[in-house]
Amino acid sequence: MNNEILGLHHITAIAGNAKKNYDFYTRILGLRLIKKTVNFDDPHTYHFYYGDEQGTPGSILTFFPWEGMSAGRRGTRQVTEIGYSVPKGSLEFWQNRFEQNNVIYNKPAEKFGERYLTFLDPDGLKFELTESKTPDTRAQWTTPEVGKENATHGFHHVTITTNKMDGTAKVLTDIFGYKLEKTEVNRSRFVTDTVSYAAIVDLVEAPGEAVGHVAAGSVHHVAFRVKDEATLMYFRDKVVAMGLNITEKIDRNYFYSLYFREPGGVLFEIATDNPGFTVDESLEELGSNLKLPAQYESNRAEIESILPKLN
């Protein structure tokens, strides 16, 4: 596992109403809220982390819910779909669940030999639930309404839409070590063999499509996983060697990060496994307390009075 990208670490998106976001992901999708904190640059805005029981890299979906944020628009230079892995035979359960909860969805379809179901969250963020060809043995977080036979396992893939895919593909292959597995029409699937899950990036090339607008219902950035800080800095050197601008190492409390914009326009992050989400809460307590970055702790009372109530 030395000097390797270990698939996806997390995906961060923008939402509007915080309570709607919280209710949708914890109740309807059945994810665990593993961390309730605030935006590092805007402490009056939540930063929610959803995932499996432990917040395992490759299962972590995070949101900045900005009240009153205008709606985004899907297009090029964007992450346009987030794919979750679900058990075989579960798509009918999800279709019925979406129907009962007035969730916008499309009937199951197939690509790359796998059945999938598309749906939108309350802000219009697009997802796919995929019955993976490879049995997914990752532990699931279950709820009284979403049991083990249907619950998500974590990410299956992420889709990037681009006017021209060459630059993005070069980052995936030459820096991150992904390989082109297959192309169907204008969708090319890139896969890493360093991990079994959360290992897929699809590039959709749409030369004539308009550039998207990142706002509510849009992905802000996608993060790729590395083992530790030494590996993080190894990849920083590789990004610099390709002539791309990249940040210095940033401490995000639960992981260390680097950020750069790939040639296709999408913001990429590289994030470490360490120190993890139990650094300030026990496994049992994850997500139950408002955790603040140290610089905001002295303003806790004011921040708590401004943040929307979730219950």
Side-chain angles (χ1 to χ4, degrees), residues 7-21:
L8 300 173
H9 185 282
H10 69 269
I11 299 168
T12 294
I14 300 171
N17 183 272
K19 184 168 178 9
K20 278 186 181 178
N21 182 269

Side-chain angles (χ1 to χ4, degrees), residues 129-151:
L129 301 178
T130 299
E131 296 180 348
S132 176
K133 289 183 290 190
T134 306
D136 197 328
T137 59
R138 287 178 290 178
Q140 300 151 284
W141 177 253
T142 61
T143 72
E145 294 185 19
V146 183
K148 186 177 176 63
E149 66 278 11
N150 299 306

Side-chain angles (χ1 to χ4, degrees), residues 172-189:
L172 291 176
T173 57
D174 293 10
I175 298 179
F176 289 173
Y178 281 68
K179 294 180 175 63
L180 175 61
E181 182 180 76
K182 192 176 182 182
T183 298
E184 289 186 353
V185 193
N186 66 334
R187 179 182 291 264
S188 296
R189 175 153 289 185

Side-chain angles (χ1 to χ4, degrees), residues 78-133:
Q78 272 190 347
V79 171
T80 48
E81 298 160 355
I82 299 169
Y84 273 97
S85 170
V86 293
K88 284 198 173 181
S90 67
L91 294 188
E92 285 64 35
F93 164 85
W94 286 107
Q95 187 173 340
N96 291 334
R97 186 163 180 77
F98 294 154
E99 187 78 34
Q100 292 163 7
N101 287 279
N102 299 312
V103 176
I104 296 171
Y105 72 92
N106 287 331
K107 291 183 178 179
E110 186 175 306
K111 65 169 173 270
F112 296 113
E114 296 173 321
R115 292 179 75 231
Y116 70 95
L117 172 67
T118 300
F119 70 94
L120 303 179
D121 86 345
D123 290 294
L125 187 61
K126 186 178 179 184
F127 289 86
E128 293 179 351
L129 301 178
T130 299
E131 296 180 348
S132 176
K133 289 183 290 190

